[in-house]
Amino acid sequence: MILAVLVALLPSLDATTHHEIVSDVRWNDTDGNSVEAHGGCVLRSPLDGIWYLYGETRKGVSNRKTPPTVDYLTQGINCYSSASLAGPWRFEGTILRQQHVVVPGLRGPWIMQRPKVLFNPRTRQFVLWFHLDQPKQHYQSHRSSAVRSAYPMKSVGRATADRAAGPFTFAGSLLPDNHSSLDMSLFADPDEPARAYLLRDVDHKFIAISRLSDDFLHTTGVISKLCEPDPRRAGRRRNRDKCEAPAMFKLHGLHYVITSGQSGWASN
């Protein structure tokens, strides 16, 4: 939903485009195959003026109430390109695959979610960040008999490329500012493209915002926290009061952050 909201704001940037972006229908690429770019982002490359769409490969089958069944061994990150936000979209390939991810001391299969790409005007490279993890682990809740699940790594992965369509080279994993990272997003200031930020859900406790380093490969400290718990309501915080899936944009000099509430696969 957040991607859809941000895309809806972008057509105003291209006054020459007269195509209509249609939602709630299946999008096919120029080869007639379904566009598979889940949890992704769009980027207009300053090098060629082309729009690039990045997202997760096919998610699997879902009944809309439970998470989709995913074949993690084949999960990766896809890239599509188009001269217009309305398409048609050309499949550029899977720019990062399972075998490209190497984390010392750990083994896949890897969770590769919510890919976000920025262009760094200093290094002239395209930088990819994504939620990197292993499949969820199940455990017994100490408060009840319920069986819960959680991601074990809660980290980010990064990769770089000289071209928007890749190939991308994996640049390692990390815990940004030594905090866990779940749902995450990137933002580059349109007025200062060399200034970029990471937003992420820190273990369902708060949304943290950190400025990126000059090479866009590290964070330089948390500068803001959103949706922190109110100490006056200790023990009474509801999931709908918590935030995840953050996205930032700038309009008329003000920065805005959109998030969703935490209600699992139920809408909020």
Side-chain angles (χ1 to χ4, degrees):
M1 179 181 291
I2 288 175
L3 176 61
V5 171
L6 295 180
V7 168
L9 295 172
L10 290 172
S12 60
L13 302 178
D14 187 357
T16 63
T17 298
H18 301 287
H19 302 291
E20 181 181 3
I21 298 177
V22 181
S23 61
D24 201 30
V25 297
R26 183 179 296 277
W27 290 6
N28 291 332
D29 62 20
T30 53
D31 294 325
N33 299 313
S34 295
V35 171
E36 302 289 350
H38 306 272
C41 72
V42 288
L43 170 73
R44 192 175 195 179
S45 169
L47 301 185
D48 58 16
I50 298 296
W51 291 98
Y52 291 88
L53 169 64
Y54 304 91
E56 304 163 36
T57 53
R58 188 169 186 269
K59 294 284 286 186
V61 179
S62 173
N63 63 9
R64 295 181 178 268
K65 294 183 179 180
T66 60
T69 55
V70 181
D71 180 3
Y72 294 117
L73 292 175
T74 63
Q75 190 178 33
I77 297 171
N78 286 341
C79 175
Y80 297 83
S81 65
S82 174
S84 164
L85 271 175
W89 292 96
R90 177 179 182 270
F91 181 54
E92 296 288 347
T94 303
I95 58 172
L96 202 68
R97 299 178 180 272
Q98 290 281 317
Q99 61 267 32
H100 299 149
V101 176
V102 178
V103 180
L106 297 176
R107 298 176 59 184
W110 308 109
I111 303 294
M112 303 168 69
Q113 293 181 333
R114 300 178 183 270
K116 304 294 182 284
V117 179
L118 295 178
F119 175 74
N120 188 324
R122 290 192 184 94
T123 63
R124 309 294 291 177
Q125 282 197 316
F126 294 89
V127 182
L128 162 70
W129 286 60
F130 60 98
H131 173 204
L132 173 63
D133 229 305
Q134 294 171 308
K136 284 185 174 181
Q137 296 179 353
H138 301 283
Y139 65 95
Q140 187 80 36
S141 172
H142 67 279
R143 294 182 178 180
S144 68
S145 60
V147 177
R148 303 185 183 278
S149 61
Y151 286 115
M153 293 174 61
K154 302 176 183 176
S155 68
V156 297
R158 300 145 305 144
T160 60
D162 295 325
R163 297 174 55 252
F168 278 77
T169 300
F170 185 65
S173 66
L174 59 80
L175 294 175
D177 304 315
N178 294 317
H179 287 299
S180 64
S181 180
L182 295 169
D183 294 355
M184 47 74 59
S185 183
L186 297 179
F187 171 77
D189 193 313
D191 299 318
E192 299 179 80
R195 185 186 293 267
Y197 303 87
L198 169 71
L199 299 85
R200 75 277 192 189
D201 169 10
V202 179
D203 208 20
H204 297 326
K205 296 177 180 178
F206 57 87
I207 300 294
I209 302 176
S210 300
R211 184 175 175 181
L212 298 186
S213 57
D214 288 347
D215 60 7
F216 288 9
L217 289 174
H218 298 86
T219 51
T220 61
V222 176
I223 61 174
S224 184
K225 295 181 180 179
L226 308 176
C227 303
E228 287 189 279
D230 186 341
R232 296 170 300 180
R233 300 181 60 195
R236 293 181 292 157
R237 196 176 186 209
R238 298 165 297 183
N239 283 340
R240 69 182 185 185
D241 298 324
K242 301 177 183 179
C243 301
E244 61 183 359
M248 178 183 286
F249 66 95
K250 187 176 183 180
L251 184 66
H252 303 316
L254 293 178
H255 293 80
Y256 296 83
V257 175
I258 302 173
T259 77
S260 67
Q262 291 179 14
S263 56
W265 290 84
S267 60
N268 60 71

